[in-house]
Amino acid sequence: MYSNYGYGYPFQTYYPYPIFQPQDAYQDWQRQNYIKGQATWTEGGTTTQCNIPWSYYQYMTAAVSSNSPYQCGQTLKVKNPQNAREIIVTVVDSVPNVSATNINLHRKAFEALGANPAIGVLAIEFQPSPELEQVKWGKYLLEVTQIAYPNYHVTDYLFVEKTQPTSNKIKEIYDYTLQSQQERIKVRGTVVYNPTTERVISFDIKEL
């Protein structure tokens, strides 16, 4: 049964978790330390606290606790330790008075981890993605890649290079790892933009 909020299952407290500051999150990322937590799922709703729809980023979206340090639009990397599947989700909503280690994924994101919604609650490991948050164009290409490959889920990314061909053009390149039910592929995204106006001049994605 769904609650009025629209969730298939309520949040529950499983692990005590001290709230940390962004610099601590970045240190955790560098050490590749995942935070242990629990994931539930939702079909989403028509409105969110972040004014970002649940359908954003091909439904690879999530709600987090208002007690957590994660912000609207931030990306989180979520892992199912039982099968090593990983996804990158965007925070679109928040829920008050729940554990900071609980994440409520959209049902499609929950299933992308290889989990059956019937189980209700899934043990997960997750980490914030501060380096992607700090690279505007890396996130832009991430979203473009996800839309171009709707049957795949982005599981990892890598900054390749940044160059300035001319005074009014900057070129950035990123590699993304995508996973479907059948295969894993790598895609290279390239964007050229004007650093003054921040307008996109061109972008390209191709399989490696």
Side-chain angles (χ1 to χ4, degrees), residues 16 23 57 61 71 82 94 101 107 131 199:
Q23 62 266 27
Y57 185 36
T61 46
Q71 306 297 316
Q82 298 179 23
S94 65
T101 58
R107 178 172 179 151
E131 70 176 21
R199 291 183 178 179

Side-chain angles (χ1 to χ4, degrees), residues 9-201:
Y9 297 86
F11 279 91
Q12 300 179 38
T13 301
Y14 289 89
Y15 296 93
Y17 174 60
I19 296 177
F20 54 83
Q21 299 302 316
Q23 62 266 27
D24 296 320
Y26 183 68
Q27 291 170 359
D28 278 350
W29 173 265
Q30 288 182 311
R31 292 193 297 267
Q32 293 295 301
N33 287 337
Y34 280 86
I35 301 163
K36 292 185 177 181
Q38 298 283 332
T40 51
W41 61 269
T42 176
E43 294 285 1
T46 56
T47 60
T48 65
Q49 293 292 323
C50 301
N51 293 317
I52 303 173
W54 280 95
S55 58
Y56 178 75
Y57 185 36
Q58 299 297 307
Y59 294 95
M60 294 297 105
T61 46
V64 297
S65 169
S66 59
N67 297 322
S68 78
Y70 313 122
Q71 306 297 316
C72 290
Q74 185 173 356
T75 52
L76 303 175
K77 190 173 184 179
V78 184
K79 179 180 180 180
N80 180 352
Q82 298 179 23
N83 58 18
R85 286 196 183 185
E86 295 178 322
I87 58 173
I88 295 174
V89 297
T90 298
V91 175
V92 300
D93 211 346
S94 65
V95 182
N97 304 318
V98 295
S99 171
T101 58
N102 286 98
I103 298 176
N104 208 39
L105 301 170
H106 188 276
R107 178 172 179 151
K108 291 187 177 182
F110 194 88
E111 292 174 331
L113 287 172
N116 187 333
I119 68 173
V121 180
L122 175 70
I124 59 167
E125 297 175 351
F126 69 97
Q127 59 183 197
S129 302
E131 70 176 21
L132 184 61
E133 290 303 315
Q134 293 170 5
V135 183
K136 172 182 178 180
W137 299 104
K139 189 171 183 181
Y140 168 80
L141 287 170
L142 171 73
E143 295 167 2
V144 169
T145 300
Q146 183 65 79
I147 292 172
Y149 291 83
N151 297 320
Y152 291 76
H153 306 291
V154 178
T155 63
D156 208 352
Y157 52 87
L158 176 68
F159 170 73
V160 178
E161 67 175 4
K162 178 178 180 179
T163 58
Q164 188 165 3
T166 64
S167 60
N168 64 344
K169 290 183 180 180
I170 290 182
K171 178 180 180 180
E172 295 188 20
I173 300 175
Y174 295 81
D175 287 347
Y176 300 93
T177 302
L178 283 70
Q179 181 72 53
S180 72
Q181 295 290 341
Q182 293 79 28
E183 63 176 345
R184 176 176 294 183
I185 62 174
K186 285 191 175 183
V187 172
R188 173 159 293 181
T190 303
V191 61
V192 178
Y193 62 92
N194 184 313
T196 302
T197 63
E198 292 199 332
R199 291 183 178 179
V200 174
I201 297 172

